[in-house]
Amino acid sequence: QLTAIEVASQLGERESAVNRQGDFFSASKGVQLKITYDINDDLVFSSITGYDTAEFEFSFDFDGTPTSIGQYNANNSDFFGFNQDFNLNFSSDKIDFIAGVYFGRQQVDNYEDLHFFGFLNDSAGPDQFNPGVTTSVSSIINYKQFQSSVAAYAEGRYDINEKWAVTVGARLTRDVVEFNDFSSLLLDSSGNPAAYAYTTGDAMGLP
């Protein structure tokens, strides 16, 4: 069996070697509901509701060498999104106008399992914890991200004649992003918990 140095010496200019294969998976689903109501011949009320979910998973060796230096054992993300829009649409011979309000909420739950310097564990004994020096560094990370958006908007168009028209619009948006429930668990050379850290968004000075 070739050593890592021997394998690396046989690689071409644009070639790399890894000690494990990875996998990638993604999936998404969504649904939208639109309801309209004709108030009169010129004015229409609309409601647009959307809900989306997605999941993303991957694991791979990212150091580009045949030695276990750095890898994602797992990286999983789950996404949830909700959006709601209400608007009024006015249309006549010379004037078109739309005004509405919008609300959206998104959430991402993330899980990461990272492993660094795995080759050090070949010589380390069981239940040892000296990360990056004589043992590997394994870290399991969890956190959540939230984003909410509120907006009001309007746009109007006036046809001066068959060739010329004037359009004016404006939108006001307020976004709030939160980073919550961050935790990191470090493992020893046998994969047992060795150190743990947890914090909330408030503790990190975030909204």
Side-chain angles (χ1 to χ4, degrees), residues 36-45 88-92:
T36 60
Y37 176 72
D38 295 336
I39 299 174
N40 54 44
D41 292 341
D42 299 326
L43 191 62
V44 178
F45 170 79
L88 286 171
N89 196 321
F90 175 82
S91 182
S92 65

Side-chain angles (χ1 to χ4, degrees), residues 46-189:
S46 297
S47 169
I48 304 173
T49 306
Y51 180 75
D52 300 278
T53 64
E55 55 182 316
F56 179 68
E57 301 174 2
F58 70 83
S59 63
F60 70 100
D61 179 352
F62 57 77
D63 57 60
T65 72
T67 302
S68 178
I69 298 176
Q71 64 189 43
Y72 272 107
N73 291 329
N75 188 319
N76 305 333
S77 295
D78 293 317
F79 168 84
F80 310 90
F82 172 80
N83 302 278
Q84 177 62 57
D85 185 282
F86 297 109
N87 65 72
L88 286 171
N89 196 321
F90 175 82
S91 182
S92 65
D93 292 339
K94 287 185 171 292
I95 298 175
D96 291 309
F97 182 81
I98 184 171
V101 292
Y102 164 85
F103 170 77
R105 177 74 169 174
Q106 299 177 352
Q107 175 180 335
V108 178
D109 297 338
N110 202 70
Y111 169 87
E112 298 179 8
D113 182 355
L114 298 102
H115 189 66
F116 297 95
F117 309 117
F119 67 92
L120 293 175
N121 282 356
D122 295 338
S123 58
D127 304 325
Q128 299 297 308
F129 185 66
N130 192 12
V133 181
T134 60
T135 65
S136 66
V137 181
S138 294
S139 178
I140 297 177
I141 299 172
N142 291 275
Y143 60 86
K144 296 180 180 181
Q145 289 179 289
F146 301 91
Q147 179 177 344
S148 60
S149 300
V150 179
Y153 60 90
E155 180 179 292
R157 171 190 169 103
Y158 177 71
D159 294 330
I160 300 173
N161 52 42
E162 294 182 355
K163 295 184 177 181
W164 292 90
V166 177
T167 301
V168 177
R171 181 184 179 96
L172 178 64
T173 303
R174 183 176 188 270
D175 295 323
V176 176
V177 179
E178 303 174 19
F179 183 82
N180 290 331
D181 299 330
F182 175 87
S183 66
S184 178
L185 175 65
L186 300 181
L187 308 178
D188 64 18
S189 60

